[in-house]
Amino acid sequence: MSYRAVIVDFGGVLTTNLDLSARAFARECGLPDDAYLHAVTVHPEGRRLYAELELGNITQDTWNAGIAALIGIDGTDLMRRALSTLAPEPLVVEAVQAIRRGGLKTAVLSNSMGMSPFNPYERWELTDSHDVVVLSEQVRLRKPDPRIYQLALDQLGLRGSECIFVDDIATNLPPAQDLGITTIHATDPTHTVQQLRNLLGLPLPGARSTHDIGPAVIRS
């Protein structure tokens, strides 16, 4: 199969693990390790707030205050503080750069964490490093809404069958598969790069030469 583009999620794919940052932040606040993570991924109000933030329906300041109230801490610049340990994932970043140098298009498709007062994307210079960047806040759609995947394809000018999509959240993959996109569930940076190497046949950094693509790759 001939691919022409790779679409990647931001948090947990191009970056280090978000859950690890969440636990580090909780410890910094003197809370149980899972307190912040539970507030944003399990608590109904926390999940609602995150969905509204991703859609651009509320400001980051509103989100900061709402999440802080759930866990009983100061909400000042909460998103910046919560992501203070987040860093680029070198293996994946280098692999995506190599893919683009190899002549394929690359795109970022991310559910936004808000962009003001703290812009978590700024240091990555995404628009300079990729052909297409789709952030949910800016287009008022969020994964797993099928329309945001189609929007990414439209901006790339490609069909689903010509693309690979990488995301660390399994529930974000089926809508891409329905559009004919080959998906990779990013559970480990080395494994992710290996799957990309096997699908693309490119000599990517950190990838071994093997034909075992493993169960994390799903072709449509």
Side-chain angles (χ1 to χ4, degrees):
M1 189 176 294
S2 178
Y3 296 105
R4 298 178 60 190
V6 173
I7 306 167
V8 294
D9 180 35
F10 176 72
V13 178
L14 290 179
T15 78
T16 50
N17 188 286
L18 285 165
D19 288 0
L20 294 179
S21 290
R23 292 187 175 97
F25 174 62
R27 288 192 295 271
E28 180 185 317
C29 295
L31 300 169
D33 275 12
D34 289 338
Y36 171 70
L37 191 61
H38 184 275
V40 298
T41 64
V42 179
H43 193 289
E45 176 62 7
R47 289 171 59 88
R48 185 194 71 79
L49 286 168
Y50 229 128
E52 292 296 296
L53 179 68
E54 290 172 340
L55 286 169
N57 292 338
I58 62 173
T59 66
Q60 195 179 81
D61 281 332
T62 298
W63 181 90
N64 288 342
I67 295 299
L70 290 180
I71 54 180
I73 63 172
D74 177 17
T76 304
D77 215 7
L78 177 58
M79 184 65 80
R80 184 190 305 272
R81 291 157 48 211
L83 296 179
S84 64
T85 60
L86 198 69
E89 183 51 66
L91 275 180
V92 178
V93 170
E94 291 170 14
V96 173
Q97 290 172 344
I99 288 167
R100 198 174 188 219
R101 289 195 302 269
L104 279 76
K105 292 182 177 181
T106 64
V108 174
L109 175 57
S110 175
N111 280 352
S112 175
M113 295 175 277
M115 300 175 71
S116 177
F118 171 60
N119 183 351
Y121 305 101
E122 186 173 13
R123 62 182 290 201
W124 270 263
E125 299 180 340
L126 296 180
T127 55
D128 293 331
S129 304
H130 302 276
D131 299 280
V132 167
V133 177
V134 178
L135 304 179
S136 64
E137 174 183 355
Q138 296 177 334
V139 299
R140 309 304 291 268
L141 297 167
R142 64 189 283 266
K143 294 177 291 185
D145 188 326
R147 293 175 294 174
I148 197 169
Y149 303 84
Q150 185 61 58
L151 180 62
L153 292 177
D154 292 345
Q155 292 193 16
L156 285 165
L158 297 173
R159 301 185 302 274
S161 59
E162 298 175 297
C163 300
I164 298 168
F165 174 57
V166 185
D167 201 298
D168 63 320
I169 299 177
T171 54
N172 287 337
L173 301 179
Q177 295 159 18
D178 290 343
L179 291 170
I181 301 171
T182 296
T183 61
I184 296 175
H185 185 201
T187 57
D188 170 79
T190 301
H191 190 245
T192 295
V193 174
Q194 185 60 51
Q195 310 317 305
L196 288 168
R197 184 220 181 265
N198 289 326
L199 287 169
L200 299 173
L202 295 175
L204 302 180
R208 300 181 303 276
S209 179
T210 174
H211 295 293
D212 179 14
I213 62 172
V217 174
I218 302 174
R219 288 193 178 91
S220 297

